[in-house]
Amino acid sequence: MTEVRVALAAAATTLEAAGVDSPVNDAEWLLAHVLGTGRGSLALAPALTPDQEQAYDALVQRRATREPLQHLTGTAGFRYVELAVGPGVFTPRPETELLAGWAIEAARAVTGRAPVVVDLCTGSGAIARSIVDEVPQAQVHAVELDPSAHRWAQQNLDGTGVDLCQGDMAQAFPELDGTVDVVVCNPPYIPLEAWESVAPEARDHDPHLALFSGDDGLVAMRVLEQVATRLLRSGGVVGAEHADLQGESAPGVFAATGRWADVRDHRDLAGRPRYLTARLAR
């Protein structure tokens, strides 16, 4: 029988040595998962049984190989919802909650009718699920190209009323052209040359289709600009996440066309450029 504090300390040491960014946090999440409790209850948990200790050690060793924490627990929290995630789908990041929050506020700003929202490159369905959860009157449409990611999105969006399609965002929802209030997207945006700098959790486990976007990382952003121009009604808005080194180049994709007003970039809680927004000027 191993005391909880001893097990946590040993696990955190193992994870820190493996280069995991948040070893204490991950050690706690994994133990809470094994014990079937919340992290806040760990201090009151009894000593681990041999079976629990074995299960915990196995998960810690897998995390030490940089397998994503969310793949080990099978879930990822995103704003106020919990998503099923695993191999074959991009694991939603906390930073993207800011973009989702912007889209939610933009949808709430539509008055007199139900807002129409399109989530492109939906992945696990995190943004679409959050929007329909927090703006239940919204008509939400989502599209995902990758078949495996689409299956995860189906699981997360089942029963929510979100219109989910599988396909390329470039051809998505032609029936909505000129009628959409909000387009939101977390596109792939990592330059191919940045392969080696990507964290193993993403590089080795997230679908490459969700990560890389040409030599400059902006191929998908240029497609998004064209699709948003087609989908949005006059005065409609678009928001898109980008890499922290694209705080000028990503908004520049929109500013250069002359089709957009109020092109702005927004920073995350760490002060890094994180997502852009723009309003269709026509």
Side-chain angles (χ1 to χ4, degrees):
M1 304 281 282
T2 302
E3 292 185 14
V4 165
R5 61 179 181 81
V6 174
L8 285 173
T13 298
T14 297
L15 297 181
E16 184 175 17
V20 173
D21 285 341
S22 51
V24 174
N25 174 82
D26 289 18
E28 292 176 349
W29 274 116
L30 290 175
L31 185 54
H33 175 68
V34 168
L35 299 181
T37 188
R39 287 173 66 200
S41 301
L42 288 176
L44 302 177
L48 276 64
T49 66
D51 286 347
Q52 290 171 334
E53 186 174 357
Q54 184 177 9
Y56 184 47
D57 183 64
L59 288 177
V60 170
Q61 295 305 319
R62 289 172 64 186
R63 183 69 185 101
T65 68
R66 308 300 290 274
E67 190 171 344
L69 173 68
Q70 295 84 354
H71 286 196
L72 299 176
T73 63
T75 61
F78 189 85
R79 290 183 67 87
Y80 303 105
V81 301
E82 187 171 88
L83 304 161
V85 297
V89 69
F90 181 80
T91 302
R93 271 54 169 181
E95 295 87 349
T96 307
E97 295 183 16
L98 297 175
L99 174 64
W102 167 85
I104 287 163
E105 291 306 314
R108 286 174 174 164
V110 176
T111 58
R113 54 181 172 79
V116 181
V117 183
V118 171
D119 177 21
L120 303 173
C121 306
T122 195
S124 65
I127 295 178
R129 175 71 181 274
S130 291
I131 294 170
V132 77
D133 179 66
E134 297 182 51
V135 194
Q137 73 272 24
Q139 298 176 10
V140 182
H141 307 262
V143 64
E144 173 54 45
L145 176 60
D146 184 82
S148 179
H150 179 262
R151 287 192 291 272
W152 285 103
Q154 282 182 311
Q155 183 175 343
N156 287 316
L157 297 176
D158 183 45
T160 65
V162 173
D163 172 28
L164 173 66
C165 296
Q166 183 183 350
D168 191 333
M169 71 167 172
Q171 287 84 43
F173 306 117
E175 69 278 11
L176 297 178
D177 285 359
T179 69
V180 176
D181 299 293
V182 183
V183 170
V184 61
C185 184
N186 183 11
Y189 51 69
I190 300 174
L192 290 172
E193 65 180 18
W195 166 270
E196 292 295 337
S197 67
V198 178
E201 286 87 346
R203 185 187 64 222
D204 299 338
H205 296 278
D206 282 334
H208 289 178
L209 190 63
L211 298 177
F212 301 100
S213 189
D215 291 340
D216 63 356
L218 294 173
V219 171
M221 193 69 72
R222 296 186 185 96
V223 175
L224 168 62
E225 188 277 329
Q226 296 171 3
V227 176
T229 299
R230 168 172 64 81
L231 288 173
L232 288 172
R233 63 174 67 242
S234 179
V237 291
V238 60
E241 187 169 316
H242 58 70
D244 53 10
L245 297 179
Q246 296 169 339
E248 294 184 3
S249 59
V253 169
F254 288 79
T257 67
R259 292 190 282 260
W260 302 90
D262 304 325
V263 180
R264 296 182 53 209
D265 201 60
H266 306 261
R267 295 181 178 269
D268 61 22
L269 298 179
R272 297 169 297 197
R274 182 53 55 195
Y275 68 97
L276 66 90
T277 59
R279 184 176 301 278
L280 191 62
R282 69 167 182 238

